[in-house]
Amino acid sequence: MTAPGLWTIGLAIGYTIALVVVGRLLQRRAAASDKGIASFFVGGRSFSKWTVAFCITGLFSGSSFISIMELSYRTGVSAICYGIAETVQVILIALLLVKPLRERLVVTVTGIIGERFGRLAQGISGTITAFTFPMWSVATAIAFASALHAFTSLSIYAAIAVTAVLLLFFLWAGGMRAVAFTQTMNCVVFLAMLAVGITAFLINPGVDGLAELAQSRPEMVDPTSAGVTLIAAWFGTFVVNVLLAQAAFQMSLSCRTPADGQKGLFIAAGLGLPLIILGVVLGTAAAIVVPNEALPLVATPRYIAEVLPAPLTGVFFLGIWACALGWAGPCQFSGATSLGRDVGRAIRPHATEADLVRYTRWSLVLLTILMIGFAFLRTEQAAWWNVLAWTLRNGATLAPVLAAFFWPLATRKAAIPAMVAGFVSGLLWYHWGAWSPTEFFLGIHPVWVGMATNVVVMIALTLVSTRWTWTSDAAARRRGTGFAIATVAAAAVTIPAAPWLHGLGLSGLAYFAVLAVASTTVFFWTVPASKPDAGAPSGSNLKSEAQVSAN
């Protein structure tokens, strides 16, 4: 084992043990309070704006940093679009969702679906959500495992297994309070990583090296070199994900007040910018110093170790481990919450909160095994796992969540086939495209296919399976008419321009935009023909968290 390896492993293990010890102390204190076990899931609703800011920064910025570093090694500065898209998502969550969701005391997206469409829908959505969260986790876990592989005699697969077990060891301490403390400390470690990364860049290759790269490889400074289709998918996915960002909801909605949650998200958007920029700089720097590496996330540790002494290398990769804890930790916890809490509640409606905590902890073990399996399937495209996860999860849950908030007409008979169809169609589209991260079947990204199928099946089955009528509400009719006109106008522009849009890689986005406007028209114009069942809430009248727990 090399000196950088010893420093990296020693710092990571020591840091993790410290976090686990403090996490257990915090959880015991929470359990002794009058809030009890409920704080395991939402931190007792006691976070300040700064706690929320550190949580969201650790969640999204750490993930973006690793994804951007990997992408920029291959495609240069265009990778910054990934970080910008994720920042837009954080700002939109703050502007649109924190206040209404905090007032309704929402915990999970699958809880919303179960509240509206029943236990079977909750079980299906919880299972799909749990299946996709390890895909998000594996992206950052691969980054730290790549460092272990580069600095030790461990194979990349053994390094991934070690990383996954270390992550499970941390998460078993459990609960949102442990995650909140970890994210705060992760942000401190991020600062150290930033300082070390900037030092490495200034030593080699420096600003002059980037200028030479722009001359020798101009595609590395092309803002669209990642591919317009992929960049559009990033932005579209993150914007749609505003409604479905479950891990972010759990963190930001653990705030004392909606205003604190909103301010925390705005602060987080600003704190993440240096990590986005540094990710691009270090990825391109690694491409200069360690070119032609098959695994970009292995090239980065070799670059850092070549430029810096072992202790500083260890500090930098402690930052990478903090990124893994900051993203993979909450993702695994949130996925386990969906599987243990929501699916567990769907199977055992009368389970106690203590039972649900136990189910959630064992779900962590299952998701850890799943994460290791995903990593073995593909280690060379860590960022690809993020996009695949959004494609599958959003393709299954977008329409049910929209219906839960905005369309009282939607039925359980439509929701369940819509979830299955959206999930399967996205998966099949990737399969037909040979699972490529950049080339897609018929030139359309699977994310648009999955979400479009989900929405179309939901609307079509609802309209043919239930009695409905045109709304008599004048305001709704006016809004629906406005969206109908917008639909016709959008279609009139999109259809003739289809060949041009397809050539740019934007046809999937354009078609989905037309469908979104048309769907909004249907939401405004159609209402139940008779009074809904007593158990069916209105589109925007979700029950409180206490009522969700009774399902």
Side-chain angles (χ1 to χ4, degrees), residues 227-241:
V228 174
T229 301
L230 186 57
I231 292 172
W234 291 341
F235 277 94
T237 299
F238 281 123
V239 170
V240 170
N241 200 56

Side-chain angles (χ1 to χ4, degrees), residues 10 63 176 206 211 234 251 316 447 522 524-525:
S63 166
M176 280 302 295
W234 291 341
M251 290 181 171
F316 182 85
V447 71
V522 176
F524 276 119
W525 272 355

Side-chain angles (χ1 to χ4, degrees), residues 433-448:
W435 303 98
S436 170
T438 56
E439 302 294 329
F440 310 108
F441 183 61
L442 300 183
I444 297 175
H445 196 284
V447 71
W448 308 120

Side-chain angles (χ1 to χ4, degrees), residues 67-131:
S67 295
I68 291 168
M69 194 163 57
E70 180 194 43
L71 290 165
S72 60
Y73 183 87
R74 299 180 186 276
T75 64
V77 300
S78 64
I80 200 170
C81 295
Y82 185 98
I84 294 172
E86 201 157 37
T87 302
V88 169
Q89 174 192 234
V90 172
I91 293 172
L92 290 176
I93 292 172
L95 291 174
L96 302 177
L97 288 183
V98 168
K99 289 186 177 180
L101 291 186
R102 177 60 175 78
E103 289 165 0
R104 295 175 183 126
L105 303 179
V106 168
V107 172
T108 63
V109 167
T110 48
I112 296 172
I113 293 172
E115 167 68 13
R116 179 67 173 83
F117 297 109
R119 286 167 50 196
L120 181 58
Q122 181 171 326
I124 293 172
S125 62
T127 302
I128 290 173
T129 299
F131 175 75

